[in-house]
């Protein structure tokens, strides 16, 4: 536990985050790894698409980004359309396919809450709201009151054999 | 109207029976002081007109009194008022942080009751919002925009650029050192 620390140029992140475990108790069962500092400047949609500079949401105040012409960010259709524009198609299979990168969208009460991205090992990474980036071994670990339930999985072929941010 | 009066007035006209909030504590303190000064047990409203005139309402009757001594006491209460505002702001900011810490939904963030309460504090909250933004960057841009009507960032600014634009806006207006 604690806060991120830099030692000899290397960042050391806390091993646990009690607030995260409170909001997503499933993480206590599966374990997870904190991979970044807390950062409110990008969100899970941005992170899933490899953008660490923008907060993707449609609001009429400068400092936020949402692709023009897309349905509202408050709808599953909006999130699905944004990933579709970036080459993703829906799939039933959340397992690892080496040539494809996948994202998983969580929904609660018809509203999209979160999206996780699969990495080459088959594990998943998530930007937790305004908080940490984490790696978690399963999608179910994030299902909770806060983030809702896993609703959709989408995939696209890895560009040049590489996944975003890898 | 002198500046100090204008700043005091909204908090000084406390209405009996509202939800108990730090602001009401200030109003209660003023009413108690008024009762002590003017031996009036049922004051429902108090207003400060000028430093020399102090109005109280009992039922439907509004009375004006000279209040040189009372004004001195109000001046000391003003120092407490700013702490009350900060306390109220901190309470709602912390509650908002706790409740929205892992949400990505900006709609959920900006419709949270505490976020709306902070917007409801109005222009008095702007320096506190800017200070909070400089110390603990978070999604206060919508609140600042709602209160001030300004949007100082460039059209395609990232969140970090917009945040810096707001801080610079605050420095130019003397809200931040």
């Amino acid at each position: 536990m604690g806060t991120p620390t830099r030692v000899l140029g290397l960042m050391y992140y806390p091993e646990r985050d009690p607030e995260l475990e409170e909001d997503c108790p499933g993480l206590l069962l599966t374990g997870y790894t904190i991979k970044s500092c807390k950062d409110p400047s990008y969100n899970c949609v941005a992170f899933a698409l490899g953008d660490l500079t923008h907060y993707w949401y449609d609001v009429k105040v400068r400092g936020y980004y949402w692709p023009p012409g897309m349905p509202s960010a408050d709808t599953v259709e909006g999130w699905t359309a944004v990933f579709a524009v970036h080459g993703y198609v829906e799939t039933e299979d959340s397992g690892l396919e080496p040539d494809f990168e996948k994202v998983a969208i969580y929904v609660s009460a018809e509203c999209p809450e979160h999206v996780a991205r699969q990495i080459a090992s088959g594990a998943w990474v998530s930007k937790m709201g305004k908080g940490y980036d984490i790696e978690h071994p399963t999608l179910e670990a994030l299902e909770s009151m806060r983030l809702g339930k896993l609703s959709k999985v989408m995939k696209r072929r890895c560009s040049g054999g590489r996944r975003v941010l890898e | 109207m002198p500046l100090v009066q204008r700043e005091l007035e909204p908090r000084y006209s406390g209405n009996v029976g509202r939800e108990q909030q730090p602001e009401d504590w200030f109003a209660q303190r003023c009413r108690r002081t008024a009762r002590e000064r003017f031996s009036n047990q049922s004051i429902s409203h108090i207003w400060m007109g000028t430093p020399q005139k102090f109005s109280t309402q009992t039922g439907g009757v509004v009375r004006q009194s000279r209040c040189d001594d009372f004004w001195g006491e109000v001046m000391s209460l003003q120092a407490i008022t700013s702490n009350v505002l900060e306390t109220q702001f901190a309470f709602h900011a912390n509650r908002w942080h706790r409740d929205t810490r892992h949400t990505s939904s900006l709609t959920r963030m900006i419709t949270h009751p505490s976020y709306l309460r902070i917007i409801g504090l109005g222009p008095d909250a702007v320096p506190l919002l800017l200070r909070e933004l400089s110390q603990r960057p978070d999604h206060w841009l919508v609140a600042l925009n709602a209160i001030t009507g300004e949007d100082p960032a460039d059209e395609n600014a990232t969140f970090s650029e917009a945040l810096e634009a707001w801080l610079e806006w605050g420095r130019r207006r003397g809200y931040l050192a």
Side-chain angles (χ1 to χ4, degrees):
Chain A
M1 287 202 273
T3 53
T5 312
R6 184 182 291 278
V7 179
L8 299 175
L10 295 174
M11 287 299 294
Y12 290 90
Y13 302 111
E15 290 180 5
R16 295 181 55 195
D17 177 16
E19 293 178 348
L20 185 57
E21 293 166 6
E22 186 183 330
D23 287 351
C24 302
L27 290 172
L28 281 168
L29 298 174
T30 62
Y32 63 100
T33 310
I34 294 173
K35 307 291 276 186
S36 76
C37 299
K38 291 183 178 179
D39 189 344
S41 62
Y42 62 98
N43 63 348
C44 59
V45 178
F47 182 67
L49 290 167
D51 178 2
L52 303 185
T53 59
H54 291 88
Y55 202 97
W56 288 46
Y57 224 84
D58 58 339
V59 61
K60 299 284 185 283
V61 172
R62 290 171 184 171
Y64 297 93
Y65 171 75
W66 192 245
M70 293 292 109
S72 165
D74 290 321
T75 63
V76 178
E77 292 72 27
W79 286 37
T80 307
V82 165
F83 284 101
V85 158
H86 288 84
Y88 283 89
V89 294
E90 291 189 36
T91 176
E92 297 293 317
D93 180 12
S94 63
L96 178 65
E97 294 181 66
D99 293 335
F100 289 89
E101 52 186 343
K102 297 184 179 181
V103 294
I105 298 173
Y106 295 76
V107 173
S108 144
E110 306 300 315
C111 290
E113 297 285 351
H114 180 67
V115 57
R117 171 168 55 84
Q118 193 176 41
I119 56 177
S121 68
W124 297 82
V125 287
S126 286
K127 171 72 163 78
M128 302 306 296
K130 305 175 280 185
Y132 296 115
D133 302 349
I134 64 166
E135 182 177 324
H136 45 102
T138 69
L139 288 172
E140 291 74 21
L142 291 189
E143 288 188 329
S144 57
M145 293 288 285
R146 294 262 187 191
L147 299 189
K149 294 223 168 264
L150 178 61
S151 172
K152 281 182 192 297
V153 178
M154 301 179 79
K155 70 175 184 180
R156 73 176 176 188
R157 189 167 290 280
C158 296
S159 175
R162 292 171 62 96
R163 294 156 193 265
V164 296
L165 301 177
E166 287 186 14
Chain B
M1 184 181 281
L3 180 63
V4 67
Q5 243 173 273
R6 189 156 45 78
E7 287 178 348
L8 277 169
E9 194 166 29
R11 295 179 203 101
Y12 201 57
S13 51
N15 209 343
V16 174
R18 284 185 299 154
E19 183 186 357
Q20 183 75 19
Q21 288 291 328
E23 280 179 5
D24 294 297
W25 173 85
F26 177 79
Q28 284 171 5
R29 173 85 181 265
C30 289
R31 280 198 295 277
R32 192 169 68 238
T33 307
R35 282 198 297 271
E36 290 166 4
R37 295 282 176 196
F38 301 105
S39 302
N40 190 325
Q41 297 303 309
S42 57
I43 293 169
S44 57
H45 290 77
I46 49 178
W47 296 277
M48 182 59 70
T50 69
Q52 287 76 40
K53 286 185 179 174
F54 175 74
S55 303
T56 55
Q57 181 174 336
T58 308
V61 180
V62 176
R63 295 191 313 176
Q64 282 201 341
S65 315
R66 283 190 60 82
C67 54
D68 297 342
D69 292 344
F70 189 77
W71 181 248
E73 192 152 348
V74 167
M75 294 297 280
S76 66
L77 281 171
Q78 190 200 16
I80 299 169
T81 309
S82 61
N83 288 338
V84 170
L85 183 69
E86 288 196 23
T87 303
Q88 192 174 33
F89 179 87
F91 170 79
H92 287 297
N94 287 332
R95 191 168 75 162
W96 178 76
H97 273 294
R98 186 197 63 208
D99 291 351
T100 65
R101 60 198 175 196
H102 294 129
T103 184
S104 288
S105 167
L106 199 66
T107 300
R108 193 152 292 164
M109 290 184 219
I110 66 178
T111 55
H112 187 281
S114 282
Y115 199 89
L116 298 175
R117 287 299 296 264
I118 285 173
I119 291 174
L121 294 175
D124 286 349
V126 171
L128 301 177
L129 279 167
L130 290 167
R131 190 179 66 189
E132 176 80 5
L133 205 56
S134 68
Q135 294 172 351
R136 189 164 53 158
D138 213 323
H139 293 272
W140 295 114
L141 311 189
V142 175
L144 284 164
N145 174 262
I147 294 172
T148 66
E150 302 272 350
D151 203 351
D154 291 337
E155 194 166 343
N156 296 316
T158 64
F159 178 80
S160 299
E161 290 166 348
L163 190 146
E164 187 50 48
W166 272 107
L167 295 179
E168 181 55 32
W169 178 91
R171 287 185 205 105
R172 282 201 310 271
R173 280 159 181 75
Y175 289 124
L176 286 174

